[in-house]
Amino acid sequence: REAMKRLFAIIAICTLIAACATSGRPISNDQLSSVQEGVTTRSEVVAMFGPPLATTRNSDGTEILSWGYSKVGFAGSSVESQGLSVVIGPDGTVTTYSVTGFKQ
């Protein structure tokens, strides 16, 4: 989670410097609702959200895939950001996932 916070801080700073910029691509609630723990596979998640911005392999055999989206309006007038981290178990399916910045 700390890596995601750092990633969003870096993205936000870079986009503020650029005045008006977008990084990543937005993730919809419809996409999220199709992710099922213990069912959805790694390849299905990558097909849905595209290549992850970051991948981490843990010693327990799990893998964490992370995506982010950030959009800053002209001169920082508005900021929108989303984050998604998906934990893939040793069996290749989603164990759990967490999201930030999504409206329900």
Side-chain angles (χ1 to χ4, degrees), residues 80-100:
E80 178 184 344
S81 66
Q82 298 174 318
L84 170 65
S85 290
V86 178
V87 178
I88 304 295
D91 67 350
T93 64
V94 173
T95 300
T96 187
Y97 66 93
S98 61
V99 296
T100 57

Side-chain angles (χ1 to χ4, degrees), residues 10 13 18 27 32 45 53 74 96 100:
I10 290 169
I13 290 168
I27 297 168
L32 287 175
V45 171
L53 294 175
F74 180 74
T96 187
T100 57

Side-chain angles (χ1 to χ4, degrees), residues 35-60:
V35 177
Q36 297 178 12
E37 295 175 358
V39 176
T40 307
T41 65
R42 182 191 194 284
S43 60
E44 290 171 330
V45 171
V46 172
M48 275 187 261
F49 304 113
L53 294 175
T55 302
T56 305
R57 289 198 179 273
N58 297 315
S59 60
D60 65 356

